[in-house]
Amino acid sequence: MIDWFQKLGRSSLALFERLGRGGLFLMRVFAAIPSLVPRPRLVIIQLYSVGVLSMMLIVISGLNVGMVLGLQGYNTLVDFGAEESLGQVVALSLVRELGPVVAALLFAGRAGSALTAEIGLMKATEQLSGMEMMAVDPMKRVIVPRFIAAIISMPLLAAMFSAMGILGGYFVGVGLLGVDSGAFWSQMQGKVDFYEDIMNGLVKSVVFGFVAAWIAVFEGYDAVPTTEGVSRATTRTVVHTAFAVLGLDFILTALMFGSV
Amino acid sequence: MAELHDDALMVKIRDLRFAHGARVIFDGVDIDIPRGKITAIMGPSGTGKTTLLKLIGGQLAPSTGSVLVEGEDIHHVSRDDLYRLRKRMSLLFQTGALFTDLTVFENVAFPLREHTHLPESMLRDLVLMKLQVVGLRGARDLMPAELSGGMARRVALARAIALDPAMIMYDEPFTGQDPITVGVIMQLIRMLNDTLGLTSIIVSHDVHELSRVSDYMYMMAAGKIVGHGTPQELGHSGSEWIRQFMGGLPDGPVPFHYPAADYAQDLLAGVSA
């Protein structure tokens, strides 16, 4: 019993210590952001590897999720003769929930893990140390450009995911199952509110992007500089981002769409 | 070595103590690194030679004691001053620590791009000159993954001299290299030191190479300096530590056996268990 309490205590202490380190790390990141203003190129290079290279995955996944939504939505709605609301169902599910959440999960798997592994390996091969010895702050040169690029990329990827999803839903609903095209779009237009739905979805994706970026660069920077350490850090990035995104999603949804 | 005036010293370490958790790595170490000379710091593996270089570079902070680099206490200067001092020194990592996403050319250009605003044509000339010194001008377009270990170290050396530092620290420069590469690196260390008027610190356990290339040697063991002198002086030293190390004897003050319980008891304990 005592053992169990000891273990609980130890792991809680470790958790809070990590959170503290993560918080301090974030402050250092913020402090280093102004140094990037004269060197936007550093961010642009990272935007390519973090954002552009993730696009394919996001586009294909979005299309697939949208197609499944179209099919499942149609099967349910048709029982009530409400299949013309398909556009609304697909759009709202994507814009409010699936777009930000699934895009964030995919982002963590595709870009977050890559960021962690890259930074962790740079640490393991003494590249970060070498930079410091050349009087170059790795925070400014390596960490912050990647962090900013991830924050910029995530909302754009989430928006792309939703847009592709809607297209996927359209192909299945209108193209295959014979829902009226005009009804599909007009229902969507009528029921999807710009502020209530799209902006709230955007806020979510910004929050998720921030959390995913923070976890990814922190795990890389904090990784134990060995093969095993980097491998663990990469796993942690994906797992922690998933937990954080799903947990935050509930909180944000409760705040945004009310009455829980 | 006769007490040198502070101006003649590039680095002055006094009463340095440093512990890694419970393990004491340095326990009162005094080292003088004279300007313009090649000073070697030798010691068996695990004596914290790399740690010493990181302490000199200000990447680690000692528990007590001081490290003066060009008269300034590197652990008590502002961050800006620390970076100013670091531009005057280079650390050549054992692995080379080249940036794997940049070509050889860009690796050497990196410190110049970060710290100067030279026009591209001048930067190119400078990089090619540095690469010419290490004999790798022709390898400028290769990626670090395409280099052999010895070439990577030479590129790292070209990068280390890019900003014309006053001091270079070499971390195990000979380890794992073939005899030709060792010869090349030794020659480069000597040549750079003498032609550029550098101060060099080599940390290594390769006794023979060190005795040939260095002007002065320190021998470290168990957290202390156990001897120092010119290579000739150390060669004739009466210290058991130095004799074991220079002669490569398997047993001596550095024991062959990792500390363990009595051998016979240990074997018998297995039977009764």
Side-chain angles (χ1 to χ4, degrees):
Chain A
M1 189 66 182
I2 296 281
D3 264 10
W4 187 80
F5 275 117
Q6 252 180 359
K7 254 188 217 161
L8 184 74
R10 207 176 299 135
S11 49
S12 335
L13 279 178
L15 174 75
F16 283 108
E17 193 205 328
R18 258 188 102 64
L19 276 175
R21 268 213 310 277
L24 288 175
F25 173 83
L26 191 62
M27 280 199 267
R28 286 179 60 200
V29 168
F30 283 146
I33 289 177
S35 70
L36 274 186
V37 176
R39 306 182 68 185
R41 230 185 96 75
L42 290 178
V43 180
I44 294 171
I45 295 172
Q46 293 307 321
L47 273 175
Y48 176 75
S49 63
V50 171
V52 176
L53 293 183
S54 306
M55 258 168 59
M56 200 46 130
L57 173 71
I58 292 289
V59 163
I60 294 176
S61 310
L63 204 63
N64 276 295
V65 168
M67 282 159 64
V68 171
L69 264 181
L71 199 59
Q72 294 283 17
Y74 179 86
N75 284 340
T76 312
L77 290 171
V78 80
D79 289 345
F80 307 98
E83 67 271 19
E84 302 203 323
S85 305
L86 186 65
Q88 176 197 346
V89 168
V90 168
L92 283 183
S93 330
L94 280 165
V95 170
R96 282 182 173 188
E97 290 296 336
L98 292 174
V101 172
V102 179
L105 296 179
L106 292 172
F107 183 76
R110 165 65 183 76
S113 59
L115 283 176
T116 305
E118 189 186 13
I119 297 171
L121 281 173
M122 284 181 89
K123 188 177 175 185
T125 53
E126 292 183 312
Q127 294 182 45
L128 296 185
S129 215
M131 237 177 233
E132 263 181 31
M133 282 307 297
M134 281 185 258
V136 175
D137 189 350
M139 211 61 176
K140 295 177 181 166
R141 186 66 176 61
V142 175
I143 306 294
V144 176
R146 285 168 172 76
F147 179 73
I148 300 287
I151 288 184
I152 297 175
S153 304
M154 209 351 248
L156 296 175
L157 290 171
M160 216 174 277
F161 186 93
S162 298
M164 291 313 294
I166 290 169
L167 273 183
Y170 176 83
F171 288 146
V172 171
V174 177
L176 292 180
L177 301 169
V179 175
D180 180 59
S181 168
F184 184 89
W185 292 118
S186 66
Q187 286 270 351
M188 192 188 301
Q189 202 179 2
K191 298 289 182 178
V192 177
D193 185 74
F194 180 71
Y195 291 103
E196 184 78 344
D197 301 315
I198 296 183
M199 286 316 268
N200 277 341
L202 183 71
V203 169
K204 274 188 182 179
S205 62
V206 170
V207 172
F208 297 163
F210 178 84
V211 171
W214 177 21
I215 293 178
V217 293
F218 173 67
E219 287 294 351
Y221 195 73
D222 202 51
V224 180
T226 58
T227 320
E228 197 196 7
V230 174
S231 133
R232 280 192 184 172
T234 314
T235 311
R236 270 205 306 269
T237 293
V238 178
V239 174
H240 290 186
T241 310
F243 281 147
V245 163
L246 295 171
L248 278 171
D249 184 46
F250 180 75
I251 296 171
L252 288 174
T253 308
L255 288 174
M256 287 168 175
F257 303 101
S259 57
V260 181
Chain B
M1 177 164 48
E3 191 68 26
L4 283 168
H5 192 262
D6 278 5
D7 285 348
L9 290 182
M10 184 77 196
V11 180
K12 182 175 171 182
I13 299 174
R14 284 294 172 272
D15 194 30
L16 183 75
R17 280 164 213 277
F18 180 82
H20 215 83
R23 208 175 125 233
V24 177
I25 308 224
F26 299 121
D27 187 15
V29 166
D30 295 333
I31 293 176
D32 289 330
I33 308 286
R35 277 182 204 279
K37 295 278 194 308
I38 300 179
T39 308
I41 295 164
M42 300 184 296
S45 311
T47 37
K49 299 188 294 293
T50 305
T51 309
L52 181 69
L53 295 186
K54 290 195 168 173
L55 282 161
I56 297 175
Q59 285 197 313
L60 294 172
S63 323
T64 56
S66 63
V67 177
L68 301 183
V69 178
E70 301 211 84
E72 293 185 69
D73 187 337
I74 192 140
H75 299 106
H76 291 98
V77 293
S78 69
R79 200 171 170 77
D80 287 346
D81 284 337
L82 174 65
Y83 274 19
R84 180 176 49 77
L85 280 173
R86 279 190 187 158
K87 283 183 210 167
R88 307 256 304 136
M89 57 170 108
S90 281
L91 172 56
L92 194 78
F93 286 87
Q94 197 175 346
T95 51
L98 295 176
F99 302 125
T100 41
D101 55 336
L102 301 178
T103 60
V104 165
F105 183 95
E106 286 302 324
N107 261 289
V108 179
F110 183 87
L112 294 165
R113 287 197 198 282
E114 289 293 322
H115 294 303
T116 66
H117 298 282
L118 296 172
E120 194 60 32
S121 62
M122 192 184 282
L123 190 133
R124 180 175 179 276
D125 289 349
L126 269 176
V127 172
L128 292 186
M129 280 157 69
K130 305 293 175 191
L131 282 172
Q132 173 74 10
V133 172
V134 298
L136 292 175
R137 190 164 44 86
R140 73 187 96 158
D141 295 324
L142 297 182
M143 294 305 282
E146 298 171 274
L147 303 175
S148 69
M151 283 164 86
R153 253 171 241 196
R154 280 151 71 187
V155 174
L157 189 53
R159 186 176 68 176
I161 55 171
L163 287 174
D164 294 321
M167 171 170 83
I168 302 190
M169 299 183 271
Y170 300 88
D171 187 3
E172 303 278 6
F174 314 115
T175 307
Q177 300 300 327
D178 63 72
I180 302 174
T181 310
V182 168
V184 168
I185 293 176
M186 272 170 53
Q187 189 199 354
L188 278 173
I189 292 177
R190 188 79 249 178
M191 182 191 76
L192 289 173
N193 191 80
D194 296 350
T195 53
L196 301 179
L198 292 172
T199 302
S200 310
I201 306 177
I202 311 176
V203 144
S204 174
H205 50 235
D206 295 295
V207 177
H208 300 291
E209 286 77 11
L210 285 179
S211 343
R212 280 168 60 197
V213 79
S214 50
D215 298 313
Y216 203 79
M217 299 166 93
Y218 281 88
M219 165 83 199
M220 253 176 34
K224 292 185 188 302
I225 298 293
V226 292
H228 56 97
T230 60
Q232 291 76 22
E233 286 166 7
L234 282 194
H236 301 108
S237 166
S239 157
E240 274 190 52
W241 286 99
I242 297 172
R243 230 181 310 142
Q244 185 193 2
F245 195 77
M246 302 284 273
L249 309 174
D251 210 352
V254 180
F256 170 70
H257 289 289
Y258 191 83
D262 182 71
Y263 188 32
Q265 274 180 5
D266 218 358
L267 291 177
L268 292 171
V271 177
S272 58

